[in-house]
Amino acid sequence: MKNKWMKKLSAFMAGVMAAGLCACSGAKDAGQGESNAAPAEETAQAQTEEAISQDSPYYGKGYDLAETETIVLYVLGDEPKDMGKVLEEVNQKYLLPNLNSTLDIKFLNWSDYQTKYSLVLAGGENVDLIYTASWCYYNEEAAKGAFKEMDMDFIQKYLPYTYEQQPEVSWEQAKIGEKLYAVPKGNASFSNYDFIVARQDLIDKYQLTQPEDWDSFKEFLKELAAVQNETGVVALNTNANRNQTLEPYLQANGYDYFTEGFDYFYNAGGKAELPGWDSVIYLYTSDLYLEYAKEMAELAAAGVWSKDAINDTNDATAYFENGTSGCIGWNFSAIDAGEKLEKAGLGTFGVYDVSPDIHMARSRYNGDMIAVATNSKNPERAALVLDYMKSDVDLNRTLLGGIQGEHWDLNEEGQRMVLDAAENYSWNSWAWALNRADEPVMAGTDERELAISDSINSRELFAEVAGFTFDSSSIATELSVVNSIVDEYEYSFSLGIYGDNTEAKFNEFKGKLEAAGLDKVTEAMKTQYEAFAAKNS
């Protein structure tokens, strides 16, 4: 009986299905069949839309966001105490509801990032995004294939809001030749301009020379070193991790970066026009550097810094903050150190510019960038997360400064106020590549900072050479050897280790660089620049 009934039921269902097929065929012929069955891609898109809020800026734009993804970002610096709390805010309030993603940030400390950076990219670590810069392995790692090459179609699709907001020149400055491997910051500053923040209380007490130019700066250092037994303060508590004298020395002599990320400099002479190649020097084989090395040996002999400074791995900024250094040579972060010194009641500070008449260019946009790692398992999602971090004002400020109302807040004028918890998450301690042009101004900014800022801004040079980038892929082998030789010698020169033997060691250094193929690197630089100059003159 059961088999007989099943046969009848099968026959009945076959008839129903046949009728249905005929009906569908008729509907299709009538042009109505498309509305009766949702295509597979529409079903997939519906699943994606269900995964994010309808208020998300990425809702309805066709992105595959159905699966929750964790994006791993590597940055430089020391991890803030409240990083976990801030990430919880970032993930729960922004990334999960709007991109169905979470962010995990890992820090490469200043003391060991040079050894760990390449290992992270080559050693099978889970990495989607990583901080890079003209000075932080951008060219080297791009040449190795560690960074994803991005054309503008990719940028417009997966970083749509960044593409709209970013200055057009920033993309050009981030390119190596004609290829783009990283997303630059959205705001250029004078981060390459260094000045001196010095212990004003000691200057006043001991009637020390004020460091108002390069020569008086050296005199100040020697005088402060001479009273160390009384003060207990090292004149310049510096080390191999943070060279505090080379940038001020180059500025005082009128030299600026020719192209960031390489050791070539030029003397602009206060002019914005493209320089001739004959004004360009390779720093470490130049007479300029030899003179610098001799002067550092002179300062070392005077006891300006510790004899063991070459082995010191501590953050040199902290020495000024805790009152054990008489000065610090750095950019605007040096003023932050001065404010911490005063807040702790350890002394007072003054701000001095050793190159007060020199016109300098802002740092280039490729001075801080974030690359998508080639090994990323989901580069498209990584790019979307980066886009959101850069383009959304509230998310961006949370990453830069922590939780509003806890670490920072805005006053009625829209200026940023520091709250007590800021000591656990200071503003912009690691997120430089996320900087925007609309970052809120600090309320009650110190008059000393305003004065040096006004002075530098008044002498801004809009250098045309800023548009030139160097593609080092053709001489990657030679450049790698050259850079390793520089690493071997430069810190010893900057700390005056060689003493009376400085010139002999410089000639030895120069000979090794030339034997390593420096001339080939320089010729490649010259060829590319002259082509750029011919095109843009």
Side-chain angles (χ1 to χ4, degrees), residues 422-443:
E423 62 183 11
N424 298 324
Y425 199 98
S426 58
W427 187 272
N428 205 19
S429 65
W430 62 267
W432 321 296
L434 303 179
N435 281 157
R436 295 167 51 93
D438 58 3
E439 185 176 325
V441 176
M442 177 71 175

Side-chain angles (χ1 to χ4, degrees), residues 27-273:
K28 186 173 183 179
D29 289 342
Q32 300 172 356
E34 297 293 342
S35 62
N36 292 342
E41 58 267 24
E42 290 185 11
T43 302
Q45 184 59 37
Q47 293 172 345
T48 289
E49 305 299 7
E50 290 174 1
I52 61 173
S53 167
Q54 292 186 19
D55 295 328
S56 168
Y58 301 94
Y59 184 86
K61 294 187 179 297
Y63 298 117
D64 180 5
L65 303 172
E67 297 294 328
T68 304
E69 297 279 357
T70 295
I71 299 303
V72 178
L73 165 64
Y74 274 82
V75 297
L76 302 190
D78 298 318
E79 182 173 346
K81 185 177 180 180
D82 279 356
M83 190 73 245
K85 180 185 291 188
V86 172
L87 273 180
E88 180 72 12
E89 175 93 352
V90 164
N91 289 330
Q92 297 301 322
K93 187 174 180 179
Y94 297 98
L95 290 178
L96 275 171
N98 293 309
L99 276 176
N100 196 21
S101 305
T102 60
L103 180 67
D104 182 15
I105 300 179
K106 298 184 182 296
F107 286 79
L108 297 173
N109 296 328
W110 289 115
S111 59
D112 57 11
Y113 84 93
Q114 293 169 313
T115 57
K116 289 185 176 180
Y117 191 94
S118 292
L119 294 177
V120 165
L121 291 167
E125 299 284 347
N126 184 15
V127 52
D128 298 288
L129 302 169
I130 188 167
Y131 175 87
T132 187
S134 54
W135 56 270
C136 186
Y137 307 111
Y138 180 46
N139 286 71
E140 296 94 323
E141 294 300 331
K144 293 177 186 176
F147 300 150
K148 175 180 172 60
E149 181 184 342
M150 298 175 285
D151 58 25
M152 295 315 292
D153 288 339
F154 181 90
I155 295 294
Q156 290 183 59
K157 183 172 182 180
Y158 294 106
L159 290 108
Y161 299 106
T162 299
Y163 175 78
E164 292 176 2
Q165 298 173 10
Q166 197 86 3
E168 185 175 347
V169 67
S170 67
W171 299 112
E172 294 304 313
Q173 291 185 9
K175 289 180 180 178
I176 299 175
E178 296 299 320
K179 296 182 178 181
L180 180 70
Y181 298 94
V183 179
K185 60 186 175 183
N187 186 41
S189 65
F190 278 104
S191 59
N192 280 341
Y193 194 97
D194 285 8
F195 43 85
I196 308 302
V197 172
R199 285 285 295 273
Q200 190 63 43
D201 56 316
L202 298 181
I203 292 175
D204 295 340
K205 181 177 181 179
Y206 293 96
Q207 296 295 295
L208 305 176
T209 298
Q210 297 190 55
E212 296 176 333
D213 57 26
W214 178 253
D215 288 335
S216 60
F217 174 49
K218 289 193 300 177
E219 193 64 27
F220 158 76
L221 290 173
K222 292 176 185 177
E223 292 172 358
L224 189 52
V227 294
Q228 183 176 339
N229 289 338
E230 296 180 51
T231 65
V233 174
V234 177
L236 180 62
N237 216 337
T238 190
N239 54 37
N241 283 341
R242 182 161 286 191
N243 186 343
Q244 299 178 52
T245 54
L246 182 57
E247 291 280 359
Y249 173 79
L250 292 172
Q251 286 170 199
N253 283 278
Y255 280 83
D256 200 354
Y257 287 91
F258 178 63
T259 180
E260 289 194 47
F262 300 92
D263 298 318
Y264 291 82
F265 290 78
Y266 80 109
N267 194 322
K271 298 178 180 178
E273 295 81 29

Side-chain angles (χ1 to χ4, degrees), residues 507-526:
N507 290 329
E508 175 185 296
F509 179 37
K510 184 176 179 179
K512 286 187 177 182
L513 291 170
E514 291 170 348
L518 177 60
D519 288 348
K520 187 175 180 180
V521 176
T522 300
E523 185 60 31
M525 177 81 73
K526 177 184 178 183

Side-chain angles (χ1 to χ4, degrees), residues 169 173 256-259 265-280 361 364 461-469 525-537:
V169 67
Q173 291 185 9
D256 200 354
Y257 287 91
F258 178 63
T259 180
F265 290 78
Y266 80 109
N267 194 322
K271 298 178 180 178
E273 295 81 29
L274 290 174
W277 178 255
D278 57 358
S279 69
V280 179
R364 298 168 196 184
L461 183 68
F462 295 92
E464 294 178 5
V465 74
F468 172 64
T469 58
M525 177 81 73
K526 177 184 178 183
T527 299
Q528 290 185 33
Y529 174 66
E530 289 182 341
F532 168 84
K535 181 180 178 181
N536 293 278
S537 61

